């Protein structure tokens, strides 16, 4: 997983890029507020780690955009040409 973040602070624009693998996916439920559920993606890299939290609406949006094109990923083939 690659993460790229831009943030404005007093010095100007700060950019952060990191890589890692998703280690855990947490589904956070709130019984008192049923509309406040979320999904957290926990990742860890060599020198970084973090949590990306998505609302249920964001997860549904991602699923609706990815699902129609998922068959393209499954049927793709990587062809490696020999180096000359």
């Amino acid at each position: 997983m690659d993460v790229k973040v831009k943030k404005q602070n007093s010095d100007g624009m700060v950019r952060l890029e990191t890589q890692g693998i998703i280690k855990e996916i947490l589904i956070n439920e709130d019984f008192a507020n049923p509309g406040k559920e979320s999904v957290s993606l926990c990742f860890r890299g060599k020198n970084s780690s973090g949590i990306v939290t998505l609302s249920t609406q964001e997860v549904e949006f991602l699923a609706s955009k990815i699902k129609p094109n998922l068959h393209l990923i499954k049927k793709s083939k990587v062809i490696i040409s020999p180096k000359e």
Side-chain angles (χ1 to χ4, degrees):
M1 178 173 122
D2 293 336
V3 179
K4 297 178 183 179
V5 178
K6 285 195 319 188
K7 181 181 178 189
Q8 182 73 36
N9 68 9
S10 60
D11 297 334
M13 189 68 68
V14 176
R15 294 176 190 218
L16 171 70
E17 294 185 24
T18 188
Q19 292 180 321
I21 16 177
I22 296 176
K23 293 287 190 176
E24 197 172 356
I25 298 174
L26 304 173
I27 298 174
N28 308 310
E29 296 181 87
D30 190 353
F31 294 116
N33 298 317
K36 299 255 182 175
E37 296 94 358
S38 62
V39 176
S40 296
L41 305 173
C42 306
F43 67 93
R44 179 133 179 91
K46 184 177 177 184
N47 297 316
S48 62
S49 65
I51 300 173
V52 176
T53 304
L54 303 169
S55 68
T56 53
Q57 293 84 11
E58 291 168 325
V59 172
E60 289 171 1
F61 174 76
L62 280 172
S64 69
K65 293 294 182 182
I66 292 172
K67 196 170 186 174
N69 297 321
L70 198 56
H71 69 282
L72 298 172
I73 296 171
K74 291 179 183 177
K75 294 182 181 180
S76 63
K77 203 183 270 190
V78 177
I79 300 173
I80 301 172
S81 62
K83 294 183 179 180
E84 294 182 29

